[in-house]
Amino acid sequence: MKNKEVAGILGKIADLYEIKGGESFRVRAYRSAIAQIENMGEDIEDVAARGELESIPGVGKATAEKVRDIIETGTTARFEELKSRIPETLTDLLQIPDIGPSTVRMLWQRLGITSMDDLAQAAKDHRIRDETSFGEKGEAQILRNMEMLREHGHRLSLGVVLPMAEDVIARLKETGLVKQIGQGGSLRRRKDTIGDIDIVAETSDPKALSEAFTRLPQVQQVIESGATMTSVLTKSGLRMDIRIAEPGHFGAMLHHFTGSKYHNIHLRGMARDMGLTMNDYGVHRIDTSETVVPGKDEEEIYRVLGLPLIPVELREDRGEIEAAMEGRLPKLIEQGDIKGDLHVHTSTSDGKNTLEEMVEAARQKGYRYLAICDHTITHGVTEERLLAQIEEIRRLNQERRTKNHERPRLLAGAEVHIRRDGSLELDSRLLDKLDIVVGSVHQRYKMDKHQMTERIVKGIETGWLDILAHPIGRLINRRDPMEINFDKVLDAARAHSTALEMNTYPDRLDLNDIYARMAKEHGVKLAIDSDAHAIGELATLRYGVMLARRGWLEADDVLNTLAFDDLLEYLQTRRSRLLVPA
DNA sequence: GCCGTTTTCGGCCCGACTGTTTTCAGTCG
């Protein structure tokens, strides 16, 4: 039973309580426990096995007992009892924009609606306008919102959404109306998937800025517009909001709309204990309403609470506030720490650019090294072409010594498929000629958990894998993660000094922050690689740095922050230790 | 349902926008 599944059932219980009504604080407690369980690095089953569920923040005696029930039996008495009184399918309706628990309850009690299909039919039959306070407009809006959920109800990759937001911000800057502008929400916190775009801006002309915002070429439709916020639907189906701060309050507004919700709730609780209240216009005394700081920047807000500025990527209430209080915030990895890319392809296999073009692009990025890892036999190079490529790489490195000193050094590598039985599809005679070996699963993703874990662990135990590429195997919105026991993979990776990849291909973002933090805590190194199949894709590596920061990673945790000589020594030492000739 | 640097009971973050509104509930972030 995965954390996601346990959280899913607790979420249903919370949903059913909300539809029932009158349980707002109980619901809040559930939601807070759910957020912790979804975001914790560890398998909830392991925590339960150790009897430490109640050490999870927000999980008390009652929730711990339900979690144990769910792990053991797949459900819990409270859930069954609620379902017997309130149709479970009602919780689906909560996904529809602008439909909340009160509306669901009303639709159910007054019209007998219990599912999406019921609701669509009732709207088409005009029963909603006739028998509820929703008018004709409201009824049409429900149908539109259901359509929107069907079409765009999913979250998009950070690698897709961030460039869109950057373009919007550049255009708004061009208007000359903004004094300060930035991203907010989960986008600014660099979550791997994004549900909507939040923008925060300071201007002396809110009306003109709102109008400029709604006239952007990306905008399909204006959803709502007021004095301090305007919300639109973009042509790509993403909701996009702009919040407008009064001069002098940009930091407070930015902080408020960066979140996360639970980070903010935690901070507001601290403020409350100090007799203070926080909102998007600064920090104020509760008794006199006197403004303590207006929130011109974010530092100001944290300072009032006695805290250093907490990096945006950490603001999830996953221990960052406690770490900040105790002065032990990590020194997070930065883009500039990256010295090279250890997983790129060329036209020798399925890449779009030649070896020379990839090298030149890497040089322009200032990389000190680049590992060429084309797919092996099944997916790409033949033995002859691989040998020829190794020759070419040696020649280029030789040439670099006499001229082109600024060119990155090249590592001869391959991306080797891990077969169903855990063997590698390249034999050791060829593997031994390579400087670096990246292993990955590229076929048969749907093995059961035990078999898939065995397969990957055996692959690692061959001793050849310097890096395990895209370890989880998901494609965002297209393919679910593989079923694996991640703890066992981590144990094997640590024992064999195999680094786990943070693959920054926008469809993958694999590993993400949560798994990366787990790896770090297991003493396993990470490698942030673009898996670029074209020169333009080298730049996606920044998404990996963002997710690494969310995973609390420091430069030392990441293989490709090493200087070239240190990297080479690391690889050679590793291989000589694990692959002593028999 | 959780939690405690006055607490094991009595609190629990805060505000904008919409329209089912004319003073407020529902939804959202």
Side-chain angles (χ1 to χ4, degrees):
Chain A
M1 179 80 54
K2 284 190 248 176
N3 295 30
K4 214 171 146 186
E5 293 166 313
V6 173
I9 290 175
L10 294 176
K12 291 267 188 190
I13 295 175
D15 285 349
L16 291 169
Y17 268 126
E18 278 202 289
I19 293 167
K20 176 171 170 279
E23 302 277 1
S24 64
F25 290 110
R26 193 190 300 256
V27 169
R28 219 189 86 167
Y30 271 99
R31 301 277 183 225
S32 147
I34 290 162
Q36 287 291 340
I37 292 169
E38 280 176 340
N39 287 324
M40 58 192 243
E42 226 187 329
D43 238 321
I44 187 107
E45 287 194 354
D46 295 341
V47 182
R50 291 200 308 273
E52 291 176 0
L53 286 171
E54 286 179 54
S55 70
I56 301 169
V59 175
K61 207 171 155 208
T63 306
E65 196 169 318
K66 291 184 181 67
V67 169
R68 279 192 294 271
D69 286 349
I70 293 167
I71 289 171
E72 280 166 30
T73 68
T75 186
T76 181
R78 181 62 45 85
F79 183 39
E80 296 302 316
E81 180 216 328
L82 283 165
K83 279 198 292 185
S84 73
R85 288 189 287 146
I86 306 165
E88 187 190 349
T89 46
L90 280 176
T91 62
D92 297 340
L93 304 186
L94 295 172
Q95 303 299 312
I96 304 168
D98 296 337
I99 298 221
S102 300
T103 306
V104 169
R105 181 168 60 247
M106 184 274 289
L107 290 168
W108 172 43
Q109 289 176 344
R110 224 180 275 180
L111 293 169
I113 288 167
T114 62
S115 69
M116 289 276 198
D117 288 345
D118 286 355
L119 181 60
Q121 195 57 50
K124 282 175 197 149
D125 298 344
H126 303 318
R127 278 185 286 132
I128 295 175
R129 72 169 74 156
D130 291 344
E131 296 179 45
T132 72
S133 49
F134 277 93
E136 199 176 323
K137 273 173 68 183
E139 193 176 73
Q141 189 63 44
I142 288 175
L143 284 170
R144 273 200 300 277
N145 286 345
M146 289 180 79
E147 179 63 22
M148 187 148 75
L149 175 67
R150 240 196 325 277
E151 295 261 304
H152 311 293
H154 51 267
R155 300 172 67 87
L156 299 180
S157 167
L158 173 67
V160 172
V161 179
L162 184 56
M164 290 166 53
E166 286 168 339
D167 182 48
V168 164
I169 286 175
R171 286 172 192 274
L172 291 175
K173 278 183 179 166
E174 279 169 20
T175 65
L177 290 166
V178 297
K179 288 206 178 85
Q180 299 188 73
I181 187 163
Q183 303 147 12
S186 56
L187 179 63
R188 182 164 181 244
R189 299 197 314 278
R190 309 310 194 197
K191 252 180 91 90
D192 54 347
T193 62
I194 307 292
D196 60 17
I197 297 176
D198 276 309
I199 290 168
V200 180
E202 177 182 332
T203 180
S204 50
D205 193 347
K207 200 157 178 279
L209 182 59
S210 281
E211 279 170 20
F213 181 69
T214 59
R215 280 199 301 267
L216 287 167
Q218 289 91 339
V219 172
Q220 179 188 127
Q221 173 198 331
V222 178
I223 298 169
E224 62 187 2
S225 186
T228 65
M229 81 88 76
T230 291
S231 180
V232 300
L233 186 68
T234 64
K235 284 172 182 161
S236 51
L238 217 55
R239 187 185 166 116
M240 178 164 73
D241 297 346
I242 190 167
R243 317 273 172 172
I244 298 175
E246 288 174 18
H249 300 287
F250 180 72
M253 182 76 82
L254 183 66
H255 182 265
H256 182 79
F257 286 105
T258 296
S260 70
K261 182 177 160 188
Y262 292 102
H263 177 85
N264 285 356
I265 287 174
H266 193 150
L267 289 184
R268 291 212 182 94
M270 285 174 65
R272 191 159 262 283
D273 292 343
M274 297 166 73
L276 303 172
T277 176
M278 290 170 62
N279 62 18
D280 13 345
Y281 302 97
V283 182
H284 319 277
R285 292 183 57 94
I286 294 174
D287 49 3
T288 62
S289 300
E290 177 198 351
T291 297
V292 182
V293 292
K296 69 177 182 343
D297 55 40
E298 290 188 322
E299 282 89 344
E300 206 172 81
I301 294 167
Y302 285 99
R303 195 162 54 235
V304 169
L305 300 175
L307 297 172
L309 181 74
I310 296 179
V312 289
E313 297 91 341
L314 299 186
R315 298 183 194 168
E316 297 289 342
D317 199 20
R318 295 182 197 161
E320 74 282 4
I321 294 171
E322 293 80 356
M325 283 193 286
E326 295 160 19
R328 50 174 182 84
L329 282 172
K331 186 184 181 314
L332 298 177
I333 184 172
E334 291 171 15
Q335 181 76 38
D337 294 324
I338 299 289
K339 303 286 199 309
D341 197 328
L342 295 177
H343 181 180
V344 306
H345 295 265
T346 73
S347 51
T348 298
S349 64
D350 59 351
K352 305 274 190 299
N353 292 99
T354 63
L355 175 60
E356 290 77 5
E357 288 164 345
M358 293 302 284
V359 174
E360 172 56 18
R363 185 192 67 77
Q364 286 178 18
K365 296 192 75 66
Y367 286 163
R368 314 308 303 271
Y369 49 84
L370 187 69
I372 307 300
C373 298
D374 275 311
H375 295 284
T376 52
I377 299 149
T378 308
H379 292 269
V381 295
T382 57
E383 179 173 336
E384 292 71 28
R385 292 183 75 180
L386 180 61
L387 288 169
Q389 187 184 62
I390 294 171
E391 286 280 303
E392 176 66 1
I393 286 170
R394 303 285 178 242
R395 190 186 66 74
L396 286 170
N397 278 340
Q398 195 64 38
E399 186 182 284
R400 181 187 178 282
R401 283 193 197 158
T402 50
K403 49 180 181 177
N404 300 321
H405 297 288
E406 79 290 359
R407 205 158 67 185
R409 289 196 246 201
L410 300 181
L411 293 153
E415 181 178 7
V416 184
H417 177 58
I418 302 170
R419 293 199 192 99
R420 201 163 22 147
D421 62 1
S423 65
L424 305 182
E425 77 177 348
L426 206 62
D427 69 46
S428 51
R429 178 178 52 84
L430 285 165
L431 287 166
D432 199 37
K433 295 186 189 300
L434 300 171
D435 302 317
I436 189 165
V437 178
V438 172
S440 61
V441 168
H442 268 275
Q443 289 171 344
R444 294 195 146 268
Y445 298 95
K446 293 206 165 171
M447 292 165 69
D448 76 35
K449 187 171 178 175
H450 177 73
Q451 288 179 327
M452 186 58 93
T453 305
E454 281 288 289
R455 173 185 185 177
I456 293 172
V457 166
K458 277 188 180 162
I460 292 171
E461 285 173 351
T462 64
W464 284 108
L465 303 191
D466 297 301
I467 297 173
L468 177 68
H470 38 79
I472 296 297
R474 70 149 172 195
L475 292 176
I476 293 170
N477 292 322
R478 286 197 285 138
R479 187 172 68 214
D480 285 336
M482 302 184 297
E483 298 264 340
I484 52 173
N485 181 329
F486 196 61
D487 275 335
K488 287 196 174 163
V489 171
L490 287 177
D491 288 343
R494 185 179 45 205
H496 294 81
S497 302
T498 297
L500 297 199
E501 186 177 71
M502 298 185 75
N503 185 299
T504 69
Y505 206 80
D507 275 2
R508 293 189 181 273
L509 300 182
D510 170 11
L511 302 172
N512 71 3
D513 52 322
I514 292 171
Y515 288 107
R517 190 176 181 187
M518 254 175 112
K520 174 184 172 139
E521 283 168 2
H522 262 73
V524 172
K525 281 218 186 299
L526 287 302
I528 305 177
D529 296 333
S530 71
D531 197 358
H533 285 63
I535 54 176
E537 292 170 3
L538 287 170
T540 64
L541 202 129
R542 65 176 177 142
Y543 308 126
V545 175
M546 293 168 185
L547 290 176
R549 291 172 62 84
R550 278 181 66 81
W552 294 57
L553 264 53
E554 304 184 299
D556 286 351
D557 301 314
V558 176
L559 203 55
N560 47 322
T561 62
L562 290 175
F564 180 75
D565 291 338
D566 296 333
L567 175 69
L568 210 59
E569 191 188 333
Y570 171 92
L571 293 171
Q572 287 167 351
T573 307
R574 182 192 166 281
R575 196 175 286 189
S576 62
R577 181 166 65 82
L578 290 164
L579 296 161
V580 190

